[in-house]
């Protein structure tokens, strides 16, 4: 019987953004992103689900302590993104459009250094931008 288990934790944060690519002209941005390119921006209640995967400890019964994962997610995600204007306040999104796809990669990169301390590994980051739009990133392994 396998002892490999996936453990997930969810957080919700509020942030505003505007879809805009520095590689495109203003007209092209307007054409591509439509209402989401409005210079005044708009907000989302982002739901972020982080999954780690590893061997369940036979004594503690845990892959990792969920409270420690919460601490990592607070420092790596909440403190950086919550109640922020993503494109103006977060360096990464000054050059990368703040799509759900790019947010998933950003969150992965933010969490990776914290997970180096753990026996289990970061497995999946899921960003729900709206009820209908969701992006998933599983790192370089795709
Ligand atoms: N590939 C992507 N496409 C879009 C993204 C994205 O992150 N990746 N994001 C957006 C916008 O940020 C936008 O805010 C989405 O809003 P909206 O169109 O209102 O969202 P829904 O599709 O859930 O709403 P509907 O009412 O169902 O249209 C756009 N595209
Ligand atoms: Zn949006």
């Amino acid at each position: 019987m396998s002892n490999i288990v996936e453990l997930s934790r969810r957080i919700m944060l509020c942030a505003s953004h505007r879809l805009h690519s520095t590689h495109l002209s203003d007209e092209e941005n307007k054409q591509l992103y439509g209402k989401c390119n409005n210079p005044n921006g708009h907000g989302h209640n982002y739901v972020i689900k982080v999954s780690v995967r590893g061997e369940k400890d036979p004594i503690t019964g845990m892959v990792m302590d969920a409270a420690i994962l919460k601490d990592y997610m607070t420092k790596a995600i909440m403190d950086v993104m919550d109640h922020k204007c993503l494109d103006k306040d977060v360096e990464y999104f000054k050059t990368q459009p703040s799509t759900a796809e790019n947010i998933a990669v950003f969150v992965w990169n933010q969490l990776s250094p914290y997970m180096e301390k753990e026996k289990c590994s970061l497995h999946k980051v899921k960003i729900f931008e709206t009820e209908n739009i969701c992006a998933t990133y599983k790192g370089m392994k795709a």
Side-chain angles (χ1 to χ4, degrees):
M1 194 179 66
S2 167
N3 262 336
I4 304 294
V5 181
E6 185 179 313
L7 172 79
S8 302
R9 178 150 202 138
R10 254 166 33 127
I11 50 169
M12 202 271 281
L13 63 85
C14 307
S16 66
H17 80 143
R18 172 202 186 202
L19 291 184
H20 179 89
S21 171
T22 54
H23 298 284
L24 300 173
S25 69
D26 286 350
E27 203 43 53
E28 287 168 326
N29 269 295
K30 217 175 187 176
Q31 184 76 30
L32 177 68
Y33 296 123
K35 63 180 180 181
C36 302
N37 181 245
N38 183 326
N40 296 321
H42 61 275
H44 292 289
N45 294 326
Y46 290 96
V47 174
I48 301 182
K49 184 176 166 189
V50 171
S51 303
V52 300
R53 192 170 182 272
E55 206 159 315
K56 174 172 63 65
D57 186 280
I59 295 167
T60 66
M62 298 192 288
V63 170
M64 81 173 273
D65 187 338
I68 293 175
L69 182 56
K70 181 182 179 181
D71 181 50
Y72 293 166
M73 289 169 76
T74 301
K75 289 176 179 145
I77 309 168
M78 292 300 280
D79 291 354
V80 180
M81 294 176 68
D82 191 34
H83 282 77
K84 297 286 166 62
C85 173
L86 298 181
D87 318 292
K88 291 178 185 155
D89 299 333
V90 183
E91 207 55 39
Y92 188 85
F93 297 111
K94 289 182 181 170
T95 54
Q96 305 287 329
S98 52
T99 57
E101 293 93 319
N102 277 339
I103 294 173
V105 173
F106 174 73
V107 166
W108 179 283
N109 293 341
Q110 285 287 110
L111 273 172
S112 288
Y114 290 94
M115 289 304 298
E116 278 170 18
K117 301 167 206 158
E118 301 298 323
K119 282 191 200 144
C120 63
S121 39
L122 191 53
H123 179 57
K124 194 164 53 185
V125 169
K126 231 176 160 84
I127 312 292
F128 292 86
E129 188 181 52
T130 68
E131 282 184 3
N132 309 314
I133 300 173
C134 168
T136 305
Y137 186 58
K138 290 184 171 180
M140 301 300 272
K141 59 187 179 290

